[in-house]
Amino acid sequence: MLDFDLNDTLVEEDDYEPFIGQTFESQEEAYVYYDNYAKRQGYVVRKDRSDTKHGRTVRRDFCCHRGGKNPLKVIDLSKPQRHKVSSRCDCKAHMRITLKKCFDIFPEEWHVTKFVKEHNHELLSSEEMRFLPANRTISQEDEKQILLYKEAGLSVRQIIQVMELEKKRLLGNDDVKSLLEYMQSAKLENNLFQYAYTMDDERRLEHLIWCQAQCFELYQKYGDVVVFDTTYKVNSYDMPCGIFVGVDNHGKTILFGCALLRNETTSTFKWLMKTFVTLMKKPPKTIITDQDPWMSEAIETELPTTKHSFCIWHITSKFSCWFAALLRTAYQDWCADFDGAYKTTIATEFEHKWNVMVHKYDLQENKHIQGLYDVKYFWAPAYLRDHFFGGMITTGRSESINAFIKKFVSSHVSRTNFVKQIDIAVQEIGQGRICDNMTAILRPIPVKSKSPLEEQAFRVFTPYAFKKFQEEFIRASQYSVMHDQGNTFFVRYFEGATPRNHSVFWGGVMASCSCKNFEFWGVLCRHILRVFSHTNCFKIPSLYLPLRWYRNSSEASSVVQEGDVHSTSNQGALHTTYEVQGDNIELEEESNIVNNASTNEHVVYLPPKSKIKGRPKKRREKGGKELGKKTNVVPYANNLVILSPLVLIKIIFSA
């Protein structure tokens, strides 16, 4: 089990004040951060001027609510006048953010480029702040509901109680019953549909995992590398949702399975990983997750043959919180040095650049630096390139996973509706794959040379994989073979005072390179292709044409029939049977579906609200990027409980 949790971040009070060079992932995150800072100081902020480039916002100002001058008012004497006095006094306090992108492995971020702290007016106390209009807003839906209860003669306190009960009113046990009936009918319709669930001692639904038939078939072909991620509050019980995602032969994100979990403990993740392998009939070769220590322990136990990696995007997205305030103006230089160390493909070079970077910025005692180094085998490519990831370690893939969740899943839906929304997502993935196959036929990427190597790859690969191959093939001409010793060749780039040699082994059947590009991406590197040209090799061995990148299954099957052992292992046709042990697991074969509500032994009850892992919210104040992680507001009472009865009465009787 990993002892270091990269999520563990302490925030000091001084860090709350914005500073030049501070970074945020989005405009909304910057706004939330500055707004929380402003509320502690005694004012609120509003969005001000912005600059756009090519239809995209690249700069945004957030100013004090009293900024700007009192606008001239056009008076229409035919209408009643409100005679409302403006509070604007041309206050200059504001924060400006600018969109920037530093390096490939870092997400695009908004940087604070200007911050004016001084105000020309008196700031408000915390008691006075709640009476500002910005702090006593209410949605139109809630306002209509309040007025309806007012006409019925309810008091303010009764209105609050009724709306709180309405928010908590759930679908009842029918939600669980309809969900399990839906699972059972889907299984009867297609036997490849997979699902399993557990119950606690009180027969309440605990964990649920399911996989559509189409997803099961995709996993058999492309389940060699899997990304697992979790998100929160996508259903009415706040149950964390875990998704298993992969990449198909067109380089597109595909869904393998989903799970609703009661909690995120080690035992839960152990059950999830073990059940996933059971339902899918084989484990993945590699898996990418965030740096959750409980998940890491579960993967180490239940997936002993699977290589586990941390997504670099999840790590670098925390750097601005960890190092921006500490390094200040040197933060961007440190990012450049980290990027250089990260991109090294040889372990010795990584160790050298890492040590130079740590001593350059005097970070020897920094706990985050120590923690990153301790788990280097989980995120540094120099220690991962012996394993196939198919590009799934890149930042773009992680971003597409988050976009995938937000595109199809609405917040606070019942479990049955949630599953149906996932079905819609799966159907769209299927339609997208049909479109990709058509595009591969109608719009192929043209061959740029008459080389038989390029033509061979063109015939079998999808446009996505062929483009990757073509990039390497074109770059191969820029390398020269400096020396060879038997079956070992040294390949060097033609430019540079001190170019690095790459060692390539080619014995006529087997090939390998020190850069490990084929092992990592599944595409031959430019160094091996240069040696092929040097040795007059005009045919790529089928060993280096992985079936997962083939454009159609018929060609892939013909290769398998020729007896290519390596290609057979790549197609993922393993059908090993696994058994899940434990008294609480309920698999679909047991038909433990609620058919008769009066039969207690067949009833599965509602689960309680799930508690999100981590520190309790009231243990400490949040800061930095944590303040940008806003959750969707639950309708009704969550909007009301922050209002005092006096303010609520004013809202009701001012309508």
Side-chain angles (χ1 to χ4, degrees):
M1 178 179 177
L2 300 178
D3 295 328
F4 176 70
D5 184 3
L6 295 178
N7 286 311
D8 185 15
T9 306
L10 298 178
V11 181
E12 301 294 339
E13 184 68 26
D14 293 341
D15 294 337
Y16 283 127
E17 182 174 299
F19 59 88
I20 305 298
Q22 188 174 7
T23 58
F24 301 94
E25 293 182 5
S26 63
Q27 293 186 64
E28 185 63 27
E29 181 183 338
Y31 174 79
V32 172
Y33 182 87
Y34 187 38
D35 185 55
N36 280 276
Y37 165 78
K39 289 177 180 177
R40 287 190 297 271
Q41 301 300 314
Y43 66 102
V44 294
V45 300
R46 59 181 174 85
K47 297 179 180 179
D48 200 21
R49 293 183 296 268
S50 64
D51 291 342
T52 59
K53 186 176 181 181
H54 304 298
R56 187 184 185 190
T57 303
V58 295
R59 195 179 74 176
R60 166 70 74 177
D61 287 353
F62 304 114
C63 67
C64 172
H65 72 287
R66 301 193 66 179
K69 297 181 180 180
N70 188 7
L72 296 177
K73 183 178 180 180
V74 179
I75 300 177
D76 187 354
L77 298 178
S78 63
K79 297 180 180 180
Q81 303 299 311
R82 296 181 62 187
H83 301 292
K84 183 179 178 181
V85 180
S86 174
S87 63
R88 297 190 180 186
C89 60
D90 200 21
C91 178
K92 302 298 184 182
H94 72 281
M95 182 179 77
R96 173 173 295 171
I97 58 173
T98 305
L99 184 64
K100 295 182 179 180
K101 183 174 178 65
C102 300
F103 306 98
D104 292 340
I105 66 170
F106 287 83
E108 199 172 54
E109 295 178 322
W110 291 84
H111 294 236
V112 177
T113 54
K114 188 175 182 181
F115 174 59
V116 177
K117 180 180 179 181
E118 293 74 19
H119 298 262
N120 63 356
H121 58 89
E122 183 180 356
L123 300 178
L124 303 176
S125 65
S126 58
E127 291 78 13
E128 296 169 333
M129 281 289 293
R130 64 176 182 151
F131 292 104
L132 288 176
N135 294 333
R136 53 184 179 91
T137 59
I138 191 167
S139 66
Q140 292 183 354
E141 183 181 14
D142 288 341
E143 184 177 350
K144 292 179 180 178
Q145 198 76 5
I146 290 172
L147 294 176
L148 180 64
Y149 291 145
K150 172 202 165 187
E151 292 179 3
L154 273 67
S155 66
V156 172
R157 186 170 299 278
Q158 288 173 330
I159 291 176
I160 295 177
Q161 292 176 348
V162 169
M163 298 188 75
E164 178 69 22
L165 290 174
E166 186 170 355
K167 185 201 74 170
K168 293 181 178 181
R169 181 177 58 85
L170 302 172
L171 294 176
N173 288 326
D174 287 342
D175 184 21
V176 179
K177 180 180 178 180
S178 61
L179 172 65
L180 298 181
E181 288 177 346
Y182 176 83
M183 295 286 180
Q184 187 183 39
S185 62
K187 181 68 175 179
L188 294 175
E189 182 178 346
N190 192 322
N191 192 52
L192 294 181
F193 182 91
Q194 309 288 338
Y195 74 100
Y197 64 92
T198 63
M199 299 179 294
D200 59 18
D201 296 336
E202 300 178 8
R203 298 194 64 81
R204 296 179 299 181
L205 183 65
E206 190 174 32
H207 310 308
L208 171 69
I209 181 174
W210 75 97
C211 165
Q212 296 291 333
Q214 178 182 335
C215 299
F216 180 84
E217 293 176 331
L218 290 175
Y219 182 82
Q220 306 312 310
K221 296 180 180 179
Y222 311 113
D224 43 10
V225 55
V226 169
V227 170
F228 177 75
D229 197 10
T230 57
T231 186
Y232 299 101
K233 293 187 177 181
V234 292
N235 56 86
S236 58
Y237 295 91
D238 294 349
M239 297 178 74
C241 171
I243 62 171
F244 294 89
V245 180
V247 57
D248 66 2
N249 55 338
H250 294 283
K252 299 296 181 62
T253 303
I254 52 177
L255 183 66
F256 293 141
C258 289
L260 291 175
L261 309 173
R262 177 78 63 84
N263 51 51
E264 293 181 273
T265 62
T266 301
S267 60
T268 296
F269 285 130
K270 284 184 178 180
W271 173 86
L272 179 63
M273 296 302 167
K274 188 173 184 178
T275 308
F276 178 76
V277 172
T278 301
L279 299 180
M280 308 305 283
K281 311 303 181 185
K282 64 176 182 177
K285 295 180 180 179
T286 54
I287 186 170
I288 306 172
T289 70
D290 61 14
Q291 56 279 11
D292 188 303
W294 297 277
M295 190 185 305
S296 300
E297 182 179 358
I299 292 174
E300 182 180 1
T301 303
E302 302 300 334
L303 303 177
T305 62
T306 301
K307 177 61 179 177
H308 184 199
S309 171
F310 294 153
C311 178
I312 187 62
W313 186 88
H314 284 90
I315 296 176
T316 57
S317 63
K318 300 180 179 67
F319 282 1
S320 60
C321 292
W322 291 350
F323 304 114
L326 177 65
L327 299 175
R328 295 283 175 168
T329 56
Y331 173 67
Q332 295 301 322
D333 295 334
W334 179 86
C335 291
D337 291 340
F338 179 88
D339 182 70
Y342 174 81
K343 290 183 177 179
T344 57
T345 59
I346 301 176
T348 54
E349 292 184 12
F350 172 82
E351 295 290 344
H352 173 71
K353 290 187 176 182
W354 182 269
N355 290 329
V356 171
M357 177 189 70
V358 171
H359 286 83
K360 178 180 178 180
Y361 298 96
D362 194 23
L363 297 173
Q364 296 90 330
E365 303 300 325
N366 185 274
K367 69 172 185 176
H368 296 303
I369 288 293
Q370 294 173 356
L372 283 170
Y373 185 78
D374 290 341
V375 296
K376 61 184 178 182
Y377 297 101
F378 290 86
W379 61 265
Y383 300 100
L384 296 173
R385 293 185 71 87
D386 285 326
H387 305 272
F388 175 74
F389 285 93
M392 291 285 284
I393 203 170
T394 60
T395 61
R397 187 62 60 182
S398 294
E399 293 170 355
S400 69
I401 293 171
N402 295 329
F404 180 87
I405 299 173
K406 296 176 182 178
K407 183 177 180 180
F408 297 103
V409 179
S410 302
S411 298
H412 307 288
V413 298
S414 66
R415 279 176 297 271
T416 305
N417 289 335
F418 175 81
V419 174
K420 291 180 179 179
Q421 288 176 349
I422 295 298
D423 288 348
I424 296 175
V426 172
Q427 293 173 8
E428 181 158 321
I429 290 175
Q431 295 298 320
R433 284 184 49 77
I434 296 174
C435 181
D436 292 334
N437 292 332
M438 180 196 68
T439 303
I441 297 173
L442 299 180
R443 302 174 186 173
I445 297 178
V447 176
K448 296 185 178 180
S449 71
K450 295 184 179 181
S451 169
L453 298 178
E454 187 180 9
E455 291 181 352
Q456 183 184 6
F458 171 79
R459 289 195 303 269
V460 298
F461 283 162
T462 62
Y464 171 80
F466 177 67
K467 184 177 181 181
K468 299 292 182 183
F469 174 88
Q470 193 177 64
E471 291 173 356
E472 296 294 324
F473 183 80
I474 294 174
R475 294 292 299 273
S477 62
Q478 302 174 358
Y479 286 76
S480 58
V481 180
M482 302 300 298
H483 182 66
D484 63 90
Q485 297 177 345
N487 294 331
T488 302
F489 303 83
F490 296 97
V491 181
R492 176 182 296 180
Y493 188 59
F494 76 98
E495 285 185 343
T498 58
R500 183 176 62 187
N501 291 332
H502 292 273
S503 176
V504 176
F505 174 85
W506 169 236
V509 178
M510 303 290 294
S512 63
C513 179
S514 57
C515 75
K516 305 290 185 181
N517 191 77
F518 178 78
E519 291 81 356
F520 190 71
W521 271 91
V523 177
L524 284 174
C525 65
R526 62 198 67 172
H527 315 115
I528 293 179
L529 293 173
R530 179 65 183 91
V531 172
F532 281 178
S533 176
H534 179 75
T535 58
N536 297 322
C537 174
F538 301 111
K539 183 178 181 180
I540 303 174
S542 57
L543 189 68
Y544 301 104
L545 298 173
L547 298 186
R548 69 145 17 257
W549 297 131
Y550 273 48
R551 72 169 64 189
N552 61 64
S553 56
S554 59
E555 270 193 274
S557 301
S558 64
V559 174
V560 175
Q561 293 173 1
E562 292 175 2
D564 193 327
V565 178
H566 183 274
S567 298
T568 302
S569 64
N570 278 344
Q571 77 168 349
L574 185 64
H575 294 288
T576 306
T577 301
Y578 297 86
E579 293 184 359
V580 177
Q581 303 295 329
D583 298 332
N584 287 334
I585 186 165
E586 304 287 344
L587 294 179
E588 66 279 1
E589 286 81 0
E590 300 180 15
S591 300
N592 193 14
I593 309 299
V594 180
N595 294 320
N596 188 350
S598 62
T599 306
N600 291 332
E601 60 270 22
H602 288 164
V603 175
V604 181
Y605 297 105
L606 292 170
K609 282 275 187 177
S610 295
K611 295 181 179 180
I612 297 177
K613 63 181 180 180
R615 291 188 179 96
K617 293 184 179 180
K618 295 184 179 180
R619 288 283 297 276
R620 66 175 175 89
E621 290 185 316
K622 292 186 176 182
K625 290 193 173 181
E626 293 176 299
L627 294 174
K629 299 177 180 178
K630 291 183 65 178
T631 57
N632 293 331
V633 179
V634 181
Y636 304 130
N638 275 6
N639 280 344
L640 296 176
V641 294
I642 62 172
L643 304 176
S644 67
L646 176 60
V647 175
L648 188 58
I649 291 174
K650 288 183 178 180
I651 294 175
I652 294 175
F653 291 98
S654 64

